[in-house]
Amino acid sequence: MKNENKSIIVWLLSGCFLVFIMVVVGGITRLTNSGLSMTDWHLVTDTFPPLTELKWQETFEKYKQFPEYQKINSQNDFTLSDYKFIYFWEWFHRFIARILGFVFLIPFFYFLIKKKLDKATLQKCYILLGMGALQGFFGWFMVKSGLIDNPDVSHFRLSLHLTFAFVTFAYTLWVALDLIYPNKKEINISLRTVARLTLIFILLQIIYGGFVAGLNAGLIHNHWPLMSDGQFFHESILLEKDTWFQRFTEAKNGVQFVHRTLAYIVVALIFVLLFKSKKQKLDKQQQFGINALVGIVILQFALGVLTLLYSVPLWLGLTHQVVAFFLLTAMTFSLHRLSK
């Protein structure tokens, strides 16, 4: 590691950590149905929650004008205390996003003024800047879908927001790894090809994880290894929607089936990567990355099964999402070490 790059690496890894925390809090926000509690967004005045009971009551009255309260919570003896609970998680999620913005921008301008960023790293940082702004837009775009008629956000928009957070994390880590390991090395084309394919399927699995979360598809077919009634491909998949595309992207039964199936594919690909690596001469970093992938994917698969069997309790659903982050981290590290 170059000494002059240490501060930049710490900065980038700090950004990775904050993205991770933000997604964890986002998972709690989703699992506690807190995401629609803040019905508008003001850059300055919403920095902190309401500070007086009068302000809390005013904010609660605004919330009552929107579908989630009118169609769901108004029928459940929903009190101001309940509202404060869900408001906190959405506010905290947005607050961390603000902190992340400051953590990125202030050091970025410092490094820019001090000319500490080489041309290649600077271009990557501009991409990260654009990704951060786009992620903020995706968050607003998602929340907006639940404030019109339907008291729930679009599962497509939720998955977009979630997946792009994972992608932003992975790209930030990749930029940091470029600085941590500046020296080029021989590319292992065979293993790199499998690793790239595995990364694609992990991202596809994350997309479908967002679909499952958005549709609450984890609350049905709580059996494994087969779906309900001892069926691998449950007949209900054919009944819920008219087209195959809709069945596998908009229907709970089909979305859960795809998420189940992709889990097997991801596990299989990582074990293919392991077996192929045994025939290659790898350095310690490459071997560590692949071994980490194997251990994490086994844990993630087990958590997925338990989350399904127990009908998505908050702690299991959240742990499953956290380990998905670890899996993507190991995949990004492994691919980087097999590519550069």
Side-chain angles (χ1 to χ4, degrees):
M1 184 189 299
K2 294 182 180 180
N3 290 333
E4 63 267 25
N5 286 332
K6 283 185 178 180
S7 57
I8 300 172
I9 292 167
V10 170
W11 167 56
L12 291 169
L13 293 179
S14 298
C16 287
F17 177 73
L18 282 174
V19 172
F20 168 73
I21 295 298
M22 189 169 68
V23 172
V24 170
V25 174
I28 298 174
T29 302
R30 173 179 51 79
L31 290 167
T32 55
N33 296 313
S34 303
L36 297 176
S37 57
M38 295 180 70
T39 55
D40 54 12
W41 178 247
H42 303 290
L43 186 60
V44 177
T45 57
D46 286 343
T47 301
F48 299 101
L51 300 178
T52 66
E53 283 300 305
L54 178 60
K55 189 62 178 177
W56 269 116
Q57 196 61 52
E58 290 176 0
T59 308
F60 189 29
E61 291 302 319
K62 288 182 181 178
Y63 171 73
K64 290 180 178 180
Q65 299 172 19
F66 289 88
E68 184 176 74
Y69 178 80
Q70 294 174 349
K71 297 183 178 182
I72 299 177
N73 288 333
S74 63
Q75 304 170 22
N76 297 326
D77 193 27
F78 193 76
T79 66
L80 178 60
S81 178
D82 297 321
Y83 177 66
K84 288 180 179 180
F85 174 78
I86 64 171
Y87 186 99
F88 169 79
W89 288 112
E90 176 62 12
W91 166 81
F92 192 39
H93 183 56
R94 298 188 188 192
F95 183 74
I96 294 173
R98 286 175 170 175
I99 297 298
L100 179 59
F102 283 115
V103 167
F104 182 84
L105 287 173
I106 295 175
F108 172 70
F109 286 122
Y110 171 79
F111 293 137
L112 191 63
I113 293 170
K114 294 293 185 177
K115 297 182 179 180
K116 290 181 174 290
L117 301 170
D118 59 46
K119 185 177 180 181
T121 304
L122 182 59
Q123 290 175 343
K124 295 168 188 173
C125 288
Y126 282 137
I127 292 174
L128 284 172
L129 183 62
M131 293 176 77
L134 191 57
Q135 178 68 349
F137 168 77
F138 287 153
W140 169 84
F141 186 59
M142 176 190 68
V143 171
K144 185 180 178 182
S145 66
L147 297 176
I148 303 174
D149 297 313
N150 184 15
D152 204 355
V153 298
S154 161
H155 71 286
F156 289 115
R157 298 187 188 187
L158 184 151
S159 184
L160 176 64
H161 187 49
L162 175 67
T163 304
F164 199 72
F166 275 83
V167 171
T168 302
F169 169 87
Y171 185 70
T172 306
L173 178 60
W174 189 277
V175 177
L177 290 171
D178 280 345
L179 296 175
I180 295 171
Y181 304 107
N183 298 324
K184 301 296 182 182
K185 62 193 304 182
E186 183 179 350
I187 295 174
N188 192 314
I189 296 177
S190 175
L191 291 181
R192 184 186 66 177
T193 300
V194 178
R196 284 178 172 177
L197 184 62
T198 306
L199 176 62
I200 290 171
F201 274 94
I202 287 175
L203 291 175
L204 188 59
Q205 180 70 318
I206 291 169
I207 291 171
Y208 265 87
F211 287 173
V212 169
L215 293 171
N216 292 317
L219 302 179
I220 59 174
H221 303 301
N222 301 110
H223 306 273
W224 187 83
L226 302 175
M227 300 178 80
S228 300
D229 307 316
Q231 300 178 50
F232 175 75
F233 183 89
H234 200 268
E235 59 190 8
S236 57
I237 296 172
L238 302 175
L239 304 176
E240 203 167 356
K241 295 289 182 179
D242 296 327
T243 68
W244 284 106
F245 179 78
Q246 289 176 319
R247 288 166 185 159
F248 292 134
T249 59
E250 299 180 23
K252 293 182 180 182
N253 299 283
V255 163
Q256 191 197 108
F257 173 78
V258 173
H259 195 53
R260 284 171 174 256
T261 305
L262 285 172
Y264 293 117
I265 295 173
V266 169
V267 171
L269 284 170
I270 289 176
F271 272 91
V272 168
L273 190 63
L274 175 66
F275 293 140
K276 287 180 71 69
S277 73
K278 298 298 183 183
K279 302 176 182 179
Q280 308 284 337
K281 186 177 181 180
L282 304 182
D283 62 31
K284 290 182 179 180
Q285 297 160 2
Q286 292 170 330
Q287 194 62 61
F288 171 78
I290 293 174
N291 290 341
L293 268 175
V294 173
I296 294 171
V297 81
I298 291 172
L299 174 61
Q300 178 67 341
F301 188 90
L303 285 170
V305 171
L306 292 173
T307 302
L308 181 66
L309 292 177
Y310 288 96
S311 302
V312 200
L314 190 149
W315 72 272
L316 261 178
L318 188 61
T319 305
H320 188 47
Q321 182 169 298
V322 167
V323 177
F325 242 105
F326 295 155
L327 182 63
L328 182 63
T329 301
M331 187 70 255
T332 304
F333 177 83
S334 296
L335 182 56
H336 190 276
R337 293 293 75 219
L338 294 170
S339 301
K340 291 291 183 178

